[in-house]
Amino acid sequence: MVSNWRALSGLAGTGHAGAVVKADAYGIGIEPAVSALTQGGCDTFFVAHVSEGIRTRAVAPDATVYVLNGLLPGTCDAYAAHRLSPVLGSHDELLEWAGFRQGGAAVAPAALHVDTAMNRLGLWQGEGLSLARERKDTIEAAGIGLVMTHFASSEDVGDPANARQIAAFSHIVEALPGIPASIKNSSGHFLKDCPSYQVTRPGYALYGGNPTPGQPNPMKPVVGLTARIIQLRDVEAGMQVGYNGRWTAKGRRRLATICLGYADGYPRNASAPEGTAGGFALVDGVSCPFVGTVSMDLIIVDVTDAAPAACKRGAAVTLIGGSLDLEAVGAGAKTIGYEILTNLGRRYTRRYVGL
Ligand SMILES: *Cc1c(COP(=O)(O)O)cnc(C)c1O
């Protein structure tokens, strides 16, 4: 993970990469991720919630910690207590924060979020521009130390929305001379003609996700997942498998039941009822399809094509790793790698072998 962060920082030109560690560092664990990144030289973190900011602060006492979801009413004290930086995204948030600062509270610099596409969070670009041009007093009163926007489709290099967002944001940055800026998420690092500004905000790519879908993954894998075979059985043609008998063997098949399921965060959407492709496990490198529905604690895998020697009671099969990268796992569950990562369950035995 730290080597991925270094690689991304290298792509950030004269700026440097921060690290997005929201959602428990995308399922990896905030504390181990932030500790490793801090040791590796990262000094700027982005989380979604104050609670995540507090956990980040506990392991990174000197870092700048931005809370992306912004300022919920009445939370200024929590920000001040933990020296967290709110990412302010509306006039109301700006006013509440500026009032708190004027009351004499010692606080970390805030960020200003300008929305250039998503209609999700942030001042809409027109409002952002007028604020930047005409209300320097408000910017000053709120102690803005960073201005940012977020890409809606940076993983799709062909989407013309990217250039529109880059252009809209550049006007806002120009109107705020001297204030550092941030636009790049993971995929943003691989967009042509996108300025890096001072800070970038990679998340997914740090954890080994592919920021360039459809192209070879420039990042190193970070997460692996294995589960053990608990039982093996042979079924004959016509036999039904799993809850509600959603899969029926067409011939003699060898099935392995492995001990993980949706209670571990492996999506039930990776189920493979009759005629539908679902998830896969790698058994000694051979891709073996799930059959039937994913249960709470168990998944049934058709291991007929795998080497019999690899299909033993107690043998480990791979659910994430090798050719089964996060994108492939996401596709098998009709979702994206991000959701696979952020759902990694608490029930797994977790081993950190050098982040
Ligand atoms: C989640 C998030 C990021 C990180 O996005 P990745 O695609 O995971 O790199 C960056 N900025 C904001 C505002 C985010 O919400």
Side-chain angles (χ1 to χ4, degrees):
M1 182 190 59
V2 175
S3 63
N4 284 338
W5 176 78
R6 283 207 190 93
L8 292 161
S9 220
L11 291 173
T14 53
H16 70 281
V20 180
V21 294
K22 62 192 179 188
D24 206 18
Y26 288 50
I28 270 76
I30 278 194
E31 287 81 7
V34 170
S35 302
L37 287 162
T38 301
Q39 275 167 34
C42 179
D43 63 4
T44 307
F45 295 95
F46 297 86
V47 297
H49 293 285
V50 168
S51 57
E52 297 170 335
I54 294 172
R55 288 174 59 192
T56 301
R57 171 60 71 224
V59 276
D62 302 321
T64 304
V65 181
Y66 291 103
V67 179
L68 293 165
N69 280 6
L71 195 65
L72 280 167
T75 56
C76 289
D77 282 321
Y79 278 91
H82 302 278
R83 288 173 289 122
L84 304 177
S85 298
V87 178
L88 306 170
S90 70
H91 285 290
D92 286 345
E93 289 180 44
L94 279 160
L95 288 179
E96 185 171 346
W97 186 249
F100 185 68
R101 283 185 87 234
Q102 274 155 12
V107 291
L112 175 69
H113 192 164
V114 180
D115 191 332
T116 52
M118 294 182 78
N119 279 301
R120 188 179 70 164
L121 271 186
L123 288 176
W124 186 247
Q125 56 194 45
E127 287 179 289
L129 199 54
S130 3
L131 179 86
R133 284 185 177 152
E134 293 145 30
R135 298 304 309 268
K136 294 273 190 277
D137 52 331
T138 308
I139 300 284
E140 184 92 352
I144 299 298
L146 182 74
V147 57
M148 54 168 272
T149 195
H150 189 44
F151 279 120
S153 21
S154 53
E155 78 289 354
D156 180 0
V157 290
D159 191 327
N162 294 320
R164 285 200 296 273
Q165 286 193 262
I166 291 168
F169 189 57
S170 74
H171 299 309
I172 289 153
V173 174
E174 272 163 32
L176 292 170
I179 297 189
S182 175
I183 185 170
K184 290 182 170 175
N185 61 345
S186 294
S187 295
H189 291 78
F190 300 88
L191 278 181
K192 290 211 170 60
D193 305 321
C194 182
S196 291
Y197 296 113
Q198 286 70 33
V199 185
T200 64
R201 308 188 310 274
Y204 190 50
L206 290 178
Y207 311 107
N210 188 353
T212 58
Q215 307 287 326
N217 189 351
M219 313 317 298
K220 294 205 176 109
V222 172
V223 178
L225 176 63
T226 61
R228 298 177 80 188
I229 296 176
I230 189 162
Q231 276 201 9
L232 287 144
R233 69 188 62 230
D234 295 313
V235 293
E236 306 296 337
M239 288 180 101
Q240 293 185 330
V241 169
Y243 280 121
N244 307 107
R246 295 244 163 87
W247 187 86
T248 307
K250 294 238 164 49
R252 192 182 167 82
R253 309 300 295 176
R254 187 150 181 79
L255 304 184
T257 302
I258 60 175
C259 42
L260 90 165
Y262 63 75
D264 298 295
Y266 201 104
R268 190 168 175 278
N269 257 343
S271 295
E274 198 58 52
T276 314
F280 286 85
L282 291 180
V283 182
D284 201 22
V286 176
S287 191
C288 297
F290 295 0
V291 294
T293 53
V294 169
S295 339
M296 185 184 293
D297 318 296
L298 300 165
I299 299 177
I300 306 162
V301 183
D302 182 343
V303 296
T304 314
D305 295 338
C311 299
K312 292 251 162 60
R313 183 170 75 94
V317 306
T318 299
L319 281 309
I320 302 175
S323 61
L324 207 43
D325 60 12
L326 289 167
E327 282 62 44
V329 178
K334 297 144 202 100
T335 182
I336 54 174
Y338 285 74
E339 195 175 350
I340 300 296
L341 262 188
T342 54
N343 279 344
L344 285 174
R346 305 308 312 178
R347 192 165 61 167
Y348 294 132
T349 304
R350 286 165 175 252
R351 257 185 235 108
Y352 293 94
V353 276
L355 278 171

